[in-house]
């Protein structure tokens, strides 16, 4: 039985005051039947972990370095993120692939480093609009999974079509179903039974109004949520929709 996961991605948003949203989420959803994770800026990790200590809410990061330590000014290792209270780390988000030129090979190296340190990587893949219009979405996803995933199947995959992130444009249910079935087949081909527990998340303008229908799509095990994870009032109904599945 695969665990369902509602994951938030705060991106580069939030200072200490925003942590009140985490406690508000715990109040609004005191006992969900799915896993819930919020991936925060590194500066908030430790305070967030303290704020939710002893509760179900997991704390995650948004990137890590592939090396365990060393001369990498400004970077943060997986062990440091764990030390700050993170259990998960988003890797290969399209914003990092675009802003920092991250390649599949780098994402794979980071995922291996995160696993070696004891964290669960959330590896993001997704096609651009021009790739979809050229009917290349399935091939792009296959290439990204092949190049970005580590050999050890203890990870989460997030399918986030680049054109749907932060745009208000949501992939159709048929598009989501096609890509998720494709990803599940590819994971089974590569990892066999070990790949079965891997949760497949959809990401791209998920909100309270569309969450339930997306969660009902076969092979969708949850969501990676950007904008609608910043406020408990927006994220709690998404958690509730997944919990109700
Ligand atoms: C994201 O940042 O991963 C994301 C899916 O953003 P949004 O929900 O705002 O589209």
């Amino acid at each position: 039985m695969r665990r369902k996961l509602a994951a938030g991605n705060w991106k580069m948003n939030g200072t200490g005051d925003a942590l009140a949203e985490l406690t508000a989420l715990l109040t609004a959803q005191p006992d969900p039947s799915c896993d819930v994770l919020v991936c925060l800026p590194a500066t908030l990790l430790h305070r967030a972990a303290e704020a939710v200590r002893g509760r179900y809410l997991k704390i995650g990061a948004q990137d890590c370095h592939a090396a365990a330590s060393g001369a990498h000014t400004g970077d943060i290792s997986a062990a440091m993120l764990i030390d700050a209270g993170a259990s998960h780390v988003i890797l290969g988000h399209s914003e990092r692939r675009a802003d920092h030129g991250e390649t599949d090979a780098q994402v794979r190296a980071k995922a291996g480093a995160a696993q070696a340190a004891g964290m669960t990587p959330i590896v993001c893949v997704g096609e651009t609009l021009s790739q979809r219009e050229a009917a290349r979405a399935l091939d792009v996803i296959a290439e990204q999974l092949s190049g970005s995933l580590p050999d050890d199947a203890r990870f989460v995959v997030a399918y986030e079509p680049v054109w749907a992130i932060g745009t208000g444009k949501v992939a159709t249910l048929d598009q989501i179903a096609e890509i998720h079935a494709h990803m599940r087949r590819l994971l089974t081909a590569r990892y066999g039974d070990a790949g079965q527990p891997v949760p497949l998340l959809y990401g791209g303008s998920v909100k309270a109004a569309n969450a339930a229908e997306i969660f009902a799509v076969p092979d969708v095990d949850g969501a990676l949520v950007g904008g609608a994870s910043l406020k408990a009032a927006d994220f709690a109904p998404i958690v509730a929709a997944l919990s109700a599945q």
Side-chain angles (χ1 to χ4, degrees):
M1 180 71 173
R2 256 188 304 281
R3 298 280 305 171
K4 304 266 181 196
L5 173 62
N9 173 17
W10 279 19
K11 312 191 187 199
M12 197 174 72
N13 294 295
T15 52
D17 292 352
L19 294 175
E21 297 298 331
L22 301 184
T23 38
L25 178 64
L26 290 169
T27 304
Q29 282 293 309
D31 189 23
S33 61
C34 57
D35 289 337
V36 187
L37 166 75
V38 182
C39 297
L40 300 164
T43 48
L44 290 179
L45 290 176
H46 179 67
R47 278 177 286 174
E50 290 299 312
V52 304
R53 182 182 289 278
R55 303 295 305 275
Y56 67 83
L57 187 57
K58 297 181 200 309
I59 299 301
Q62 301 172 12
D63 180 47
C64 71
H65 198 278
S69 63
H72 303 288
T73 302
D75 282 310
I76 303 179
S77 74
M80 291 169 180
L81 297 174
I82 292 176
D83 185 51
S87 58
H88 291 65
V89 58
I90 297 172
L91 295 172
H93 191 284
S94 60
E95 288 156 12
R96 290 205 61 85
R97 290 179 188 260
D99 294 355
H100 301 272
E102 284 190 6
T103 63
D104 288 340
Q106 286 168 330
V107 174
R108 185 174 190 276
K110 291 178 178 201
Q115 289 177 327
M119 303 182 90
T120 303
I122 300 176
V123 177
C124 300
V125 296
E127 81 284 0
T128 62
L129 187 56
S130 60
Q131 289 167 334
R132 175 158 285 278
E133 286 173 346
R136 292 199 53 233
L138 292 174
D139 289 345
V140 168
I141 299 305
E143 278 165 30
Q144 289 182 339
L145 289 179
S146 168
S148 304
L149 293 178
D151 290 335
D152 180 336
R154 286 172 301 163
F155 51 73
V156 175
V157 173
Y159 166 57
E160 300 204 307
V162 177
W163 47 273
I165 296 179
T167 58
K169 289 183 192 150
V170 188
T172 67
L173 300 181
D174 284 348
Q175 288 170 333
I176 297 172
E178 180 185 38
I179 298 285
H180 278 244
H182 179 57
M183 296 198 299
R184 182 56 66 198
R185 275 194 300 274
L186 291 167
L187 288 182
T188 300
R190 177 163 169 190
Y191 299 97
D193 286 347
Q196 290 309 309
V198 173
L200 302 181
L201 311 183
Y202 169 76
S205 299
V206 175
K207 47 187 182 288
N210 60 22
E213 61 181 16
I214 291 171
F215 295 149
V217 173
D219 296 309
V220 172
D221 305 305
L224 181 55
V225 183
S229 70
L230 291 171
K231 296 286 175 202
D234 297 327
F235 196 40
I238 296 172
V239 171
L242 186 60
S243 205
Q245 276 292 307

